[in-house]
Amino acid sequence: MTSAKKKAAKLSPISQLQGVLLVLDNRSGRPTAEMLANVREMVGDALSVLNEPDPVKQRIGFVLLAIQQSTEVVVKTLRGKRITRVTVVDQPLYHWALEEIHALAGAA
């Protein structure tokens, strides 16, 4: 195992994904082949760790991701009050996620 692999093995999935964001936020121009390889490796490692063997937990995670992807949340402060506006940007995905939530709640 190389020293780079040993370091990557010690990083948590969250740290790996944050590293991906740092690489992607690099404003110095186009990403190099090495940077892209690092991104690919970090994402692959994070996904392999985040794979949940429990099918119910996998389903819950997918539903939460669908809710996140199908909605847009904007928080504003207006006259000292916090206003949260949620807009559904993908109706079919949002409706599917709500159906899954109801199915999960009925199964519990």
Coordinates of all heavy atoms in Angstrom, one line a residue:
M1 N 0.8 -1.2 0.0 CA 0.0 0.0 0.0 C 0.9 1.2 0.0 O 1.8 1.4 0.8 CB -0.9 0.0 1.3 CG -2.2 0.7 1.1 SD -3.0 0.6 2.7 CE -4.6 0.2 2.2
T2 N 0.6 2.2 -0.9 CA 1.4 3.4 -0.9 C 1.0 4.3 0.2 O 0.0 4.1 0.9 CB 1.2 4.1 -2.3 OG1 -0.2 4.6 -2.3 CG2 1.5 3.3 -3.4
S3 N 1.9 5.3 0.5 CA 1.6 6.2 1.6 C 0.3 7.0 1.3 O -0.4 7.4 2.2 CB 2.8 7.1 1.9 OG 3.0 7.9 0.7
A4 N 0.0 7.4 0.1 CA -1.2 8.1 -0.3 C -2.4 7.3 0.0 O -3.4 7.8 0.5 CB -1.2 8.5 -1.7
K5 N -2.3 6.0 -0.2 CA -3.5 5.1 0.1 C -3.7 5.0 1.6 O -4.8 4.9 2.0 CB -3.2 3.7 -0.5 CG -3.4 3.6 -2.0 CD -4.8 3.5 -2.4 CE -4.9 3.3 -3.9 NZ -6.3 3.3 -4.3
K6 N -2.6 4.9 2.3 CA -2.7 4.8 3.8 C -3.3 6.1 4.3 O -4.2 6.0 5.2 CB -1.3 4.6 4.4 CG -0.7 3.3 4.2 CD 0.7 3.1 4.8 CE 1.3 1.8 4.4 NZ 2.7 1.7 4.9
K7 N -3.0 7.2 3.8 CA -3.6 8.5 4.3 C -5.1 8.5 4.0 O -5.9 8.9 4.8 CB -2.9 9.7 3.7 CG -1.6 10.1 4.3 CD -1.2 11.4 3.7 CE 0.1 11.9 4.4 NZ 0.6 13.1 3.8
A8 N -5.4 8.1 2.7 CA -6.8 8.1 2.3 C -7.7 7.2 3.2 O -8.8 7.4 3.5 CB -6.9 7.8 0.9
A9 N -7.1 6.1 3.6 CA -7.8 5.1 4.4 C -8.2 5.7 5.7 O -9.2 5.2 6.3 CB -7.0 3.8 4.5
K10 N -7.4 6.6 6.3 CA -7.7 7.2 7.6 C -8.7 8.3 7.5 O -9.2 8.6 8.6 CB -6.4 7.7 8.2 CG -5.3 6.6 8.5 CD -4.1 7.3 9.0 CE -3.0 6.2 9.3 NZ -1.8 6.8 9.8
L11 N -9.0 8.8 6.4 CA -10.0 9.9 6.3 C -11.4 9.4 6.3 O -11.7 8.3 5.8 CB -9.8 10.7 4.9 CG -8.5 11.4 4.8 CD1 -8.4 12.0 3.4 CD2 -8.4 12.5 5.8
S12 N -12.2 10.1 7.0 CA -13.7 9.8 7.1 C -14.3 10.1 5.7 O -13.8 10.9 5.0 CB -14.4 10.6 8.2 OG -14.5 11.9 7.8
P13 N -15.5 9.5 5.5 CA -16.2 9.8 4.2 C -16.5 11.3 4.1 O -16.4 11.9 3.0 CB -17.4 9.0 4.3 CG -17.2 7.9 5.2 CD -16.1 8.4 6.2
I14 N -16.8 11.9 5.2 CA -17.1 13.4 5.2 C -15.9 14.2 4.8 O -15.9 15.1 4.0 CB -17.7 13.9 6.5 CG1 -19.0 13.1 6.9 CG2 -17.9 15.4 6.5 CD1 -20.1 13.3 5.9
S15 N -14.7 13.8 5.4 CA -13.5 14.5 5.0 C -13.1 14.3 3.6 O -12.6 15.2 2.9 CB -12.3 13.9 5.9 OG -12.6 14.2 7.2
Q16 N -13.4 13.1 3.1 CA -13.1 12.8 1.6 C -14.0 13.7 0.7 O -13.5 14.3 -0.2 CB -13.3 11.4 1.3 CG -12.2 10.5 2.0 CD -12.5 9.0 1.8 OE1 -13.4 8.6 1.1 NE2 -11.6 8.2 2.4
L17 N -15.2 13.8 1.0 CA -16.1 14.6 0.2 C -15.8 16.1 0.3 O -15.9 16.8 -0.6 CB -17.6 14.3 0.6 CG -18.1 13.0 0.3 CD1 -19.5 12.7 0.8 CD2 -18.1 12.7 -1.2
Q18 N -15.4 16.5 1.5 CA -14.9 17.9 1.7 C -13.7 18.2 0.9 O -13.5 19.2 0.3 CB -14.7 18.2 3.2 CG -16.0 18.4 3.9 CD -15.8 18.5 5.4 OE1 -14.7 18.1 6.0 NE2 -16.7 19.0 6.1
G19 N -12.8 17.2 0.8 CA -11.6 17.3 -0.1 C -12.0 17.4 -1.5 O -11.4 18.2 -2.3
V20 N -13.0 16.7 -1.9 CA -13.5 16.8 -3.3 C -14.0 18.2 -3.6 O -13.7 18.8 -4.6 CB -14.6 15.8 -3.6 CG1 -15.3 16.1 -4.9 CG2 -14.1 14.4 -3.6
L21 N -14.7 18.8 -2.7 CA -15.2 20.2 -2.8 C -14.0 21.1 -2.9 O -14.1 22.1 -3.7 CB -16.1 20.6 -1.7 CG -17.5 19.9 -1.7 CD1 -18.3 20.3 -0.4 CD2 -18.3 20.2 -2.9
L22 N -13.0 21.0 -2.1 CA -11.8 21.8 -2.2 C -11.2 21.8 -3.6 O -10.8 22.8 -4.1 CB -10.8 21.5 -1.1 CG -11.3 21.9 0.3 CD1 -10.2 21.3 1.3 CD2 -11.4 23.4 0.5
V23 N -11.1 20.6 -4.1 CA -10.4 20.4 -5.4 C -11.3 21.0 -6.5 O -10.8 21.7 -7.4 CB -10.2 18.9 -5.7 CG1 -9.8 18.7 -7.2 CG2 -9.2 18.3 -4.8
L24 N -12.6 20.9 -6.4 CA -13.5 21.4 -7.4 C -13.6 22.9 -7.3 O -13.9 23.6 -8.3 CB -14.9 20.8 -7.3 CG -14.9 19.3 -7.6 CD1 -16.4 18.8 -7.4 CD2 -14.5 19.1 -9.1
D25 N -13.4 23.5 -6.1 CA -13.4 25.0 -6.0 C -12.1 25.6 -6.4 O -12.0 26.9 -6.3 CB -13.8 25.3 -4.5 CG -15.2 25.0 -4.2 OD1 -16.0 24.9 -5.1 OD2 -15.6 25.0 -3.0
N26 N -11.2 24.9 -6.8 CA -9.9 25.5 -7.2 C -10.1 26.4 -8.4 O -10.6 26.0 -9.4 CB -8.9 24.3 -7.7 CG -7.6 24.9 -8.1 OD1 -7.3 26.0 -8.0 ND2 -6.7 23.9 -8.4
R27 N -9.8 27.7 -8.2 CA -10.0 28.7 -9.2 C -8.9 28.9 -10.2 O -8.9 29.9 -10.9 CB -10.4 30.0 -8.5 CG -11.5 29.9 -7.6 CD -12.8 30.3 -8.3 NE -13.9 30.4 -7.3 CZ -15.0 29.6 -7.3 NH1 -15.1 28.7 -8.2 NH2 -15.9 29.8 -6.4
S28 N -7.9 28.1 -10.1 CA -6.6 28.3 -10.9 C -6.8 27.9 -12.3 O -5.8 28.0 -13.1 CB -5.5 27.6 -10.3 OG -5.6 26.2 -10.3
G29 N -7.9 27.5 -12.8 CA -8.1 27.1 -14.1 C -8.6 25.7 -14.3 O -9.3 25.2 -13.3
R30 N -8.4 25.0 -15.4 CA -8.9 23.7 -15.6 C -8.2 22.7 -14.7 O -7.0 22.8 -14.4 CB -8.6 23.3 -17.1 CG -9.5 24.1 -18.0 CD -9.3 23.6 -19.4 NE -9.8 22.3 -19.5 CZ -9.7 21.5 -20.6 NH1 -9.1 22.0 -21.6 NH2 -10.2 20.3 -20.6
P31 N -9.0 21.7 -14.2 CA -8.4 20.7 -13.3 C -7.4 19.9 -14.1 O -7.6 19.6 -15.3 CB -9.5 19.9 -12.8 CG -10.7 20.2 -13.7 CD -10.4 21.5 -14.4
T32 N -6.3 19.5 -13.5 CA -5.3 18.6 -14.1 C -5.8 17.2 -14.1 O -6.7 16.8 -13.4 CB -4.0 18.8 -13.4 OG1 -4.1 18.2 -12.1 CG2 -3.5 20.2 -13.4
A33 N -5.2 16.4 -14.8 CA -5.5 14.9 -14.8 C -5.3 14.3 -13.4 O -6.1 13.5 -13.0 CB -4.6 14.2 -15.9
E34 N -4.3 14.8 -12.8 CA -4.0 14.3 -11.4 C -5.1 14.7 -10.5 O -5.6 13.9 -9.6 CB -2.7 14.9 -10.9 CG -2.3 14.4 -9.5 CD -1.0 15.0 -9.0 OE1 -0.3 15.6 -9.8 OE2 -0.7 14.8 -7.8
M35 N -5.6 16.0 -10.6 CA -6.7 16.4 -9.7 C -7.9 15.6 -10.0 O -8.6 15.2 -9.1 CB -7.0 17.9 -10.0 CG -5.9 18.8 -9.4 SD -6.1 20.5 -9.8 CE -7.8 20.9 -9.3
L36 N -8.2 15.3 -11.3 CA -9.4 14.5 -11.6 C -9.3 13.1 -11.1 O -10.3 12.5 -10.6 CB -9.7 14.6 -13.1 CG -10.1 15.9 -13.7 CD1 -10.2 15.8 -15.2 CD2 -11.4 16.3 -13.1
A37 N -8.1 12.6 -11.1 CA -7.9 11.2 -10.6 C -8.1 11.2 -9.1 O -8.7 10.3 -8.5 CB -6.5 10.7 -10.9
N38 N -7.6 12.3 -8.4 CA -7.8 12.4 -7.0 C -9.3 12.5 -6.6 O -9.8 11.9 -5.7 CB -7.1 13.6 -6.4 CG -5.6 13.4 -6.4 OD1 -5.1 12.3 -6.4 ND2 -4.8 14.5 -6.3
V39 N -10.0 13.3 -7.4 CA -11.5 13.5 -7.2 C -12.2 12.1 -7.4 O -13.0 11.7 -6.6 CB -12.1 14.5 -8.2 CG1 -13.6 14.5 -8.2 CG2 -11.6 15.9 -7.8
R40 N -11.8 11.4 -8.5 CA -12.4 10.1 -8.7 C -12.2 9.1 -7.6 O -13.1 8.4 -7.1 CB -11.9 9.5 -10.0 CG -12.5 8.2 -10.4 CD -11.8 7.6 -11.7 NE -12.0 8.5 -12.8 CZ -13.1 8.5 -13.6 NH1 -14.0 7.5 -13.5 NH2 -13.2 9.3 -14.6
E41 N -11.0 9.1 -7.1 CA -10.6 8.2 -6.0 C -11.3 8.6 -4.7 O -11.9 7.7 -4.0 CB -9.1 8.3 -5.8 CG -8.6 7.3 -4.7 CD -7.1 7.3 -4.5 OE1 -6.4 7.9 -5.4 OE2 -6.7 6.7 -3.5
M42 N -11.4 9.9 -4.4 CA -12.0 10.3 -3.2 C -13.5 10.0 -3.2 O -14.1 9.5 -2.2 CB -11.8 11.8 -2.9 CG -10.5 12.2 -2.5 SD -10.4 14.0 -2.1 CE -9.4 14.6 -3.4
V43 N -14.2 10.3 -4.3 CA -15.6 10.0 -4.4 C -15.8 8.5 -4.3 O -16.8 8.0 -3.6 CB -16.2 10.6 -5.7 CG1 -17.6 10.1 -5.9 CG2 -16.2 12.1 -5.6
G44 N -15.0 7.7 -5.0 CA -15.2 6.3 -5.0 C -15.0 5.7 -3.6 O -15.8 4.9 -3.2
D45 N -14.0 6.2 -2.9 CA -13.8 5.7 -1.5 C -14.9 6.1 -0.6 O -15.4 5.3 0.2 CB -12.5 6.3 -1.0 CG -11.2 5.8 -1.7 OD1 -11.4 4.7 -2.4 OD2 -10.2 6.3 -1.5
A46 N -15.4 7.4 -0.8 CA -16.5 7.8 0.1 C -17.8 7.0 -0.2 O -18.5 6.6 0.7 CB -16.8 9.3 -0.1
L47 N -18.0 6.8 -1.4 CA -19.2 6.0 -1.8 C -19.2 4.5 -1.3 O -20.1 4.0 -0.8 CB -19.5 6.0 -3.3 CG -20.0 7.3 -3.9 CD1 -20.0 7.3 -5.4 CD2 -21.3 7.7 -3.3
S48 N -18.0 4.0 -1.4 CA -17.8 2.6 -0.9 C -18.0 2.5 0.6 O -18.6 1.5 1.1 CB -16.5 2.0 -1.3 OG -15.4 2.7 -0.6
V49 N -17.6 3.5 1.3 CA -17.8 3.5 2.8 C -19.2 3.9 3.1 O -19.8 3.3 4.1 CB -16.8 4.6 3.4 CG1 -17.1 4.7 4.9 CG2 -15.4 4.1 3.2
L50 N -19.9 4.7 2.3 CA -21.2 5.1 2.6 C -22.3 4.1 2.2 O -23.4 4.3 2.6 CB -21.5 6.5 2.0 CG -20.8 7.7 2.5 CD1 -21.0 8.9 1.7 CD2 -21.2 7.9 4.0
N51 N -21.9 3.1 1.5 CA -22.9 2.0 1.1 C -23.3 1.4 2.4 O -22.6 0.8 3.1 CB -22.2 1.0 0.2 CG -22.2 1.5 -1.2 OD1 -23.0 2.4 -1.6 ND2 -21.2 1.1 -2.0
E52 N -24.6 1.4 2.6 CA -25.2 0.8 3.7 C -25.8 -0.6 3.4 O -26.5 -0.7 2.5 CB -26.4 1.8 4.2 CG -27.2 1.3 5.4 CD -26.3 1.1 6.6 OE1 -25.6 2.0 7.0 OE2 -26.4 0.0 7.2
P53 N -25.4 -1.6 4.2 CA -25.8 -2.9 3.9 C -27.3 -3.1 4.3 O -28.0 -4.0 3.7 CB -24.9 -3.8 4.7 CG -24.4 -2.9 5.8 CD -24.4 -1.6 5.3
D54 N -27.8 -2.3 5.2 CA -29.2 -2.5 5.6 C -30.1 -1.9 4.5 O -30.1 -0.7 4.3 CB -29.4 -1.8 6.9 CG -30.9 -1.9 7.5 OD1 -31.7 -2.6 6.8 OD2 -31.1 -1.3 8.5
P55 N -31.0 -2.7 3.9 CA -31.8 -2.1 2.8 C -32.8 -1.1 3.2 O -33.1 -0.2 2.4 CB -32.6 -3.4 2.3 CG -32.4 -4.5 3.2 CD -31.2 -4.1 4.1
V56 N -33.3 -1.1 4.5 CA -34.2 -0.1 4.9 C -33.5 1.3 5.0 O -34.0 2.3 4.6 CB -34.9 -0.5 6.3 CG1 -35.7 0.7 6.8 CG2 -35.7 -1.7 6.1
K57 N -32.2 1.2 5.6 CA -31.4 2.5 5.7 C -31.1 3.0 4.3 O -31.0 4.2 4.1 CB -30.2 2.2 6.6 CG -30.5 2.0 8.0 CD -29.3 1.8 8.9 CE -29.6 1.6 10.3 NZ -28.4 1.4 11.1
Q58 N -30.8 2.1 3.4 CA -30.5 2.5 2.0 C -31.7 3.2 1.4 O -31.5 4.3 0.8 CB -30.1 1.3 1.2 CG -28.7 0.8 1.3 CD -28.5 -0.4 0.4 OE1 -29.4 -1.0 -0.2 NE2 -27.2 -0.7 0.1
R59 N -32.8 2.7 1.6 CA -34.1 3.3 1.1 C -34.3 4.6 1.7 O -34.7 5.6 1.0 CB -35.2 2.3 1.4 CG -36.5 2.7 0.7 CD -37.5 1.6 0.9 NE -38.9 2.0 0.6 CZ -40.0 1.4 0.9 NH1 -39.9 0.3 1.6 NH2 -41.1 1.8 0.6
I60 N -34.2 4.8 3.0 CA -34.3 6.0 3.7 C -33.4 7.1 3.2 O -33.7 8.2 2.9 CB -34.2 5.9 5.2 CG1 -35.4 5.1 5.8 CG2 -34.1 7.2 5.9 CD1 -35.2 4.6 7.2
G61 N -32.1 6.7 3.0 CA -31.1 7.6 2.5 C -31.4 8.1 1.1 O -31.3 9.2 0.7
F62 N -31.9 7.1 0.2 CA -32.3 7.5 -1.1 C -33.5 8.4 -1.2 O -33.5 9.4 -1.9 CB -32.6 6.2 -2.0 CG -32.7 6.5 -3.4 CD1 -31.6 6.9 -4.2 CD2 -33.9 6.4 -4.0 CE1 -31.7 7.2 -5.5 CE2 -34.1 6.7 -5.4 CZ -33.0 7.1 -6.1
V63 N -34.4 8.2 -0.3 CA -35.6 9.1 -0.2 C -35.2 10.5 0.2 O -35.6 11.5 -0.3 CB -36.7 8.5 0.8 CG1 -37.7 9.5 1.1 CG2 -37.3 7.3 0.1
L64 N -34.3 10.6 1.2 CA -33.8 11.9 1.7 C -33.1 12.6 0.6 O -33.2 13.8 0.4 CB -32.9 11.7 2.9 CG -33.6 11.3 4.2 CD1 -32.6 11.0 5.3 CD2 -34.7 12.3 4.6
L65 N -32.3 11.9 -0.2 CA -31.6 12.5 -1.3 C -32.5 13.0 -2.4 O -32.4 14.0 -2.9 CB -30.6 11.5 -1.9 CG -29.7 12.0 -3.1 CD1 -28.9 13.1 -2.7 CD2 -28.9 10.8 -3.6
A66 N -33.6 12.2 -2.6 CA -34.6 12.6 -3.6 C -35.3 13.9 -3.1 O -35.6 14.8 -4.0 CB -35.6 11.5 -3.8
I67 N -35.6 14.0 -1.9 CA -36.2 15.2 -1.3 C -35.3 16.4 -1.5 O -35.7 17.5 -2.0 CB -36.6 15.1 0.2 CG1 -37.7 14.0 0.3 CG2 -37.0 16.4 0.8 CD1 -39.1 14.5 -0.1
Q68 N -34.0 16.2 -1.2 CA -33.0 17.3 -1.4 C -32.9 17.7 -2.8 O -32.9 18.9 -3.1 CB -31.7 16.8 -0.8 CG -30.6 17.9 -0.9 CD -29.3 17.4 -0.5 OE1 -29.0 16.2 -0.6 NE2 -28.4 18.3 -0.1
Q69 N -32.9 16.7 -3.7 CA -32.7 17.0 -5.1 C -33.9 17.6 -5.8 O -33.8 18.4 -6.8 CB -32.2 15.8 -5.9 CG -30.9 15.3 -5.5 CD -29.8 16.3 -5.8 OE1 -29.7 16.9 -6.9 NE2 -28.9 16.5 -4.9
S70 N -35.1 17.3 -5.2 CA -36.3 17.8 -5.9 C -36.8 19.1 -5.3 O -37.8 19.6 -5.8 CB -37.4 16.7 -5.8 OG -37.7 16.5 -4.4
T71 N -36.2 19.6 -4.3 CA -36.6 20.9 -3.7 C -35.5 21.9 -3.7 O -34.3 21.5 -3.7 CB -37.1 20.7 -2.3 OG1 -36.1 20.1 -1.5 CG2 -38.4 19.8 -2.3
E72 N -35.9 23.2 -3.5 CA -34.9 24.3 -3.4 C -35.3 25.1 -2.1 O -36.5 25.5 -2.0 CB -35.0 25.1 -4.6 CG -33.9 26.2 -4.7 CD -34.0 26.9 -6.1 OE1 -34.7 27.9 -6.1 OE2 -33.3 26.4 -7.0
V73 N -34.4 25.3 -1.2 CA -34.8 26.0 0.0 C -34.0 27.3 0.1 O -32.8 27.3 -0.1 CB -34.4 25.1 1.3 CG1 -34.7 25.8 2.5 CG2 -35.1 23.8 1.2
V74 N -34.8 28.4 0.3 CA -34.2 29.7 0.4 C -34.7 30.3 1.8 O -35.8 30.3 2.1 CB -34.7 30.6 -0.7 CG1 -34.1 32.0 -0.5 CG2 -34.3 30.1 -2.1
V75 N -33.7 30.7 2.6 CA -34.0 31.3 3.9 C -33.6 32.8 3.8 O -32.5 33.1 3.5 CB -33.2 30.6 5.0 CG1 -33.5 31.2 6.4 CG2 -33.5 29.1 5.0
K76 N -34.6 33.6 4.2 CA -34.4 35.0 4.3 C -34.8 35.6 5.6 O -35.6 35.0 6.3 CB -35.2 35.7 3.2 CG -34.9 35.4 1.8 CD -35.8 36.2 0.8 CE -35.5 35.9 -0.6 NZ -36.3 36.6 -1.5
T77 N -34.3 36.7 6.0 CA -34.8 37.4 7.2 C -35.5 38.7 6.7 O -34.9 39.5 6.0 CB -33.6 37.8 8.1 OG1 -32.9 36.6 8.4 CG2 -34.1 38.5 9.4
L78 N -36.7 38.8 7.1 CA -37.6 39.9 6.6 C -38.2 40.6 7.9 O -38.9 39.9 8.6 CB -38.7 39.4 5.7 CG -39.5 40.5 5.0 CD1 -38.7 41.4 4.1 CD2 -40.6 39.8 4.2
R79 N -37.8 41.8 8.1 CA -38.3 42.5 9.3 C -38.0 41.8 10.6 O -38.9 41.7 11.5 CB -39.7 42.9 9.2 CG -40.0 43.9 8.0 CD -41.4 44.4 8.1 NE -42.4 43.4 7.6 CZ -42.8 43.3 6.3 NH1 -42.4 44.2 5.4 NH2 -43.6 42.4 5.9
G80 N -36.8 41.2 10.7 CA -36.5 40.5 11.9 C -37.0 39.0 12.0 O -36.7 38.3 13.0
K81 N -37.8 38.6 11.0 CA -38.4 37.3 11.1 C -37.7 36.4 10.0 O -37.4 36.8 8.9 CB -39.9 37.3 10.8 CG -40.7 37.9 11.9 CD -42.2 37.8 11.5 CE -43.0 38.5 12.6 NZ -44.4 38.4 12.2
R82 N -37.4 35.2 10.4 CA -36.8 34.2 9.5 C -37.9 33.6 8.6 O -38.8 33.0 9.1 CB -36.1 33.1 10.3 CG -35.4 32.1 9.4 CD -34.7 31.1 10.3 NE -34.5 29.9 9.6 CZ -33.3 29.3 9.6 NH1 -32.4 29.6 10.4 NH2 -33.2 28.2 8.9
I83 N -37.7 33.7 7.3 CA -38.7 33.2 6.4 C -38.0 32.1 5.6 O -36.9 32.3 5.0 CB -39.2 34.3 5.4 CG1 -39.7 35.5 6.1 CG2 -40.2 33.7 4.4 CD1 -40.9 35.3 6.9
T84 N -38.6 30.9 5.5 CA -38.1 29.8 4.8 C -39.1 29.5 3.6 O -40.2 29.3 3.9 CB -37.9 28.6 5.6 OG1 -37.1 28.9 6.7 CG2 -37.3 27.4 4.8
R85 N -38.5 29.5 2.4 CA -39.4 29.2 1.2 C -38.8 27.9 0.6 O -37.6 27.9 0.3 CB -39.3 30.3 0.2 CG -40.1 30.0 -1.0 CD -40.3 31.2 -1.9 NE -41.3 32.1 -1.1 CZ -41.7 33.2 -1.6 NH1 -41.4 33.6 -2.8 NH2 -42.6 33.9 -0.9
V86 N -39.7 27.0 0.4 CA -39.3 25.7 -0.2 C -40.0 25.6 -1.5 O -41.3 25.7 -1.6 CB -39.7 24.5 0.7 CG1 -39.3 23.2 0.0 CG2 -39.0 24.6 2.0
T87 N -39.3 25.5 -2.6 CA -39.9 25.3 -3.9 C -39.6 23.9 -4.5 O -38.4 23.5 -4.4 CB -39.2 26.4 -4.9 OG1 -39.4 27.7 -4.3 CG2 -39.9 26.4 -6.2
V88 N -40.6 23.3 -5.0 CA -40.4 22.0 -5.6 C -40.0 22.2 -7.0 O -40.7 22.8 -7.8 CB -41.7 21.1 -5.5 CG1 -41.5 19.8 -6.3 CG2 -42.1 20.9 -4.1
V89 N -38.8 21.7 -7.4 CA -38.2 21.9 -8.7 C -38.4 20.7 -9.6 O -38.2 20.7 -10.8 CB -36.8 22.4 -8.7 CG1 -36.7 23.7 -8.0 CG2 -35.9 21.4 -7.9
D90 N -38.7 19.5 -9.0 CA -38.9 18.3 -9.7 C -40.1 17.5 -9.2 O -39.9 16.8 -8.2 CB -37.6 17.4 -9.7 CG -37.7 16.2 -10.5 OD1 -38.8 15.8 -11.0 OD2 -36.6 15.6 -10.8
Q91 N -41.3 17.8 -9.7 CA -42.5 17.3 -9.2 C -42.5 15.8 -9.1 O -42.9 15.2 -8.1 CB -43.7 17.8 -10.0 CG -44.0 19.3 -9.8 CD -44.8 19.5 -8.5 OE1 -45.5 18.6 -8.0 NE2 -44.7 20.7 -8.0
P92 N -42.2 15.1 -10.2 CA -42.3 13.6 -10.2 C -41.4 13.0 -9.1 O -41.8 12.1 -8.4 CB -41.9 13.2 -11.6 CG -42.1 14.3 -12.4 CD -41.9 15.5 -11.6
L93 N -40.2 13.5 -9.0 CA -39.3 12.9 -8.0 C -39.8 13.3 -6.6 O -39.7 12.4 -5.7 CB -37.9 13.5 -8.2 CG -36.8 13.0 -7.2 CD1 -36.6 11.5 -7.3 CD2 -35.5 13.7 -7.5
Y94 N -40.3 14.5 -6.4 CA -40.8 14.9 -5.1 C -42.0 14.0 -4.7 O -42.1 13.5 -3.5 CB -41.2 16.3 -5.1 CG -41.7 16.9 -3.8 CD1 -40.9 17.2 -2.7 CD2 -43.1 17.1 -3.6 CE1 -41.4 17.7 -1.5 CE2 -43.6 17.6 -2.4 CZ -42.7 17.9 -1.4 OH -43.2 18.3 -0.2
H95 N -42.9 13.8 -5.6 CA -44.1 12.9 -5.3 C -43.7 11.5 -5.0 O -44.3 10.8 -4.1 CB -45.1 13.0 -6.5 CG -45.8 14.3 -6.5 ND1 -47.0 14.6 -5.9 CD2 -45.4 15.5 -7.1 CE1 -47.3 15.8 -6.1 NE2 -46.4 16.4 -6.8
W96 N -42.7 11.0 -5.8 CA -42.2 9.6 -5.5 C -41.7 9.6 -4.1 O -42.0 8.6 -3.3 CB -41.1 9.2 -6.5 CG -40.5 7.9 -6.1 CD1 -41.0 6.7 -6.5 CD2 -39.4 7.7 -5.3 NE1 -40.2 5.7 -5.9 CE2 -39.2 6.3 -5.2 CE3 -38.5 8.6 -4.7 CZ2 -38.1 5.8 -4.5 CZ3 -37.4 8.0 -4.0 CH2 -37.2 6.6 -3.9
A97 N -40.9 10.5 -3.7 CA -40.3 10.5 -2.3 C -41.4 10.6 -1.3 O -41.3 9.9 -0.2 CB -39.3 11.7 -2.2
L98 N -42.4 11.4 -1.5 CA -43.5 11.5 -0.5 C -44.2 10.1 -0.4 O -44.6 9.7 0.7 CB -44.4 12.6 -0.8 CG -43.9 14.0 -0.5 CD1 -45.0 15.0 -0.9 CD2 -43.5 14.2 0.9
E99 N -44.4 9.5 -1.5 CA -45.1 8.1 -1.5 C -44.2 7.2 -0.7 O -44.7 6.4 0.1 CB -45.3 7.6 -2.9 CG -46.4 8.4 -3.6 CD -46.5 8.0 -5.1 OE1 -45.8 7.0 -5.5 OE2 -47.2 8.6 -5.9
E100 N -42.9 7.2 -0.9 CA -42.0 6.3 -0.2 C -42.0 6.6 1.3 O -41.9 5.7 2.1 CB -40.6 6.5 -0.7 CG -40.4 5.9 -2.1 CD -40.6 4.4 -2.2 OE1 -40.0 3.7 -1.4 OE2 -41.4 4.0 -3.0
I101 N -42.0 7.9 1.7 CA -42.1 8.2 3.1 C -43.4 7.6 3.7 O -43.3 7.0 4.8 CB -42.0 9.8 3.3 CG1 -40.6 10.3 3.0 CG2 -42.5 10.2 4.7 CD1 -40.5 11.8 2.9
H102 N -44.5 7.8 3.0 CA -45.7 7.2 3.6 C -45.7 5.7 3.7 O -46.2 5.1 4.6 CB -46.9 7.7 2.7 CG -47.3 9.1 3.0 ND1 -48.2 9.4 4.0 CD2 -46.9 10.3 2.5 CE1 -48.4 10.7 4.1 NE2 -47.6 11.2 3.2
A103 N -45.1 5.1 2.7 CA -44.9 3.6 2.7 C -44.0 3.2 3.8 O -44.3 2.2 4.5 CB -44.3 3.1 1.4
L104 N -42.9 3.9 4.1 CA -42.0 3.6 5.2 C -42.7 3.8 6.5 O -42.5 3.0 7.4 CB -40.8 4.4 5.1 CG -39.7 4.0 4.0 CD1 -38.7 5.1 3.8 CD2 -39.0 2.7 4.4
A105 N -43.5 4.8 6.6 CA -44.2 5.1 7.9 C -45.3 4.0 8.1 O -45.5 3.7 9.3 CB -44.9 6.5 7.8
G106 N -45.9 3.5 7.1 CA -46.9 2.5 7.3 C -46.3 1.2 7.6 O -46.9 0.4 8.3
A107 N -45.1 1.0 7.2 CA -44.4 -0.3 7.5 C -43.8 -0.3 8.9 O -43.5 -1.4 9.4 CB -43.2 -0.5 6.5
A108 N -43.7 0.8 9.6 CA -43.1 0.9 10.9 C -44.0 0.4 12.0 O -45.1 0.2 12.0 CB -42.6 2.3 11.2

